[in-house]
Amino acid sequence: MIKYLFPFVLMAQLLAGCASDPGNRFLHDEDRASIDQKVIDHTTTRADVAAMFGEPLKAVSAEDGRLVWTYQLTHTSADGTSHLPVVGLFAGSSSGSTKTLVITFDRHDVVDAHRLDEVPVRVRNGVLNQLF
């Protein structure tokens, strides 16, 4: 029985060790300084932003005619407990960060304001973590 279960446990451990990057990959290597060099308030256009970062995750039109685009990237990788045989299945977790870029355009499709926020993220994906 155990020799039949071993390949499944091994595969689960290998998959748990993979990094995950859902979201806009253009944000991966960006920080506030690099974004400030690329996106210049009152100068950069909506077409420029689309060329740099692609389509936004979310686009919202405000009542005053302004447009707000949101880009997001979450990067996580497995924590140490996820790599321990059996322990990872029950108490595994991943940690990383989420970057969110919010850009507001004026009525003329020129950037009015922008900001990049980065917050830490921890995902508990072990079986016991789901129960508690």
Side-chain angles (χ1 to χ4, degrees):
M1 170 79 173
I2 291 178
K3 73 178 181 177
Y4 296 112
L5 186 58
F6 181 74
F8 293 107
V9 172
L10 180 61
M11 183 61 73
Q13 292 299 313
L14 291 174
L15 290 175
C18 296
S20 173
D21 282 339
N24 188 303
R25 295 192 186 278
F26 292 108
L27 294 179
H28 188 270
D29 295 325
E30 302 293 347
D31 58 17
R32 286 183 180 156
S34 66
I35 291 292
D36 287 345
Q37 289 177 351
K38 292 177 180 178
V39 180
I40 302 167
D41 294 351
H42 312 293
T43 302
T44 306
T45 66
R46 186 168 88 171
D48 295 335
V49 172
M52 285 186 275
F53 303 113
E55 290 299 312
L57 173 68
K58 183 168 60 170
V60 178
S61 295
E63 290 181 18
D64 63 359
R66 297 188 308 161
L67 179 66
V68 179
W69 279 9
T70 303
Y71 295 91
Q72 193 169 57
L73 172 72
T74 300
H75 174 78
T76 59
S77 56
D79 294 335
T81 56
S82 296
H83 298 289
L84 298 173
V86 182
V87 173
L89 291 173
F90 293 101
S93 63
S94 301
S95 58
S97 65
T98 295
K99 292 181 183 180
T100 304
L101 175 61
V102 179
I103 302 174
T104 304
F105 299 95
D106 64 17
R107 293 181 188 156
H108 306 288
D109 287 340
V110 176
V111 174
D112 185 43
H114 72 280
R115 76 172 190 274
L116 177 69
D117 296 317
E118 187 169 3
V119 295
V121 174
R122 183 151 190 239
V123 179
R124 304 171 109 202
N125 48 11
V127 173
L128 292 178
N129 292 332
Q130 303 304 315
L131 299 175
F132 301 104

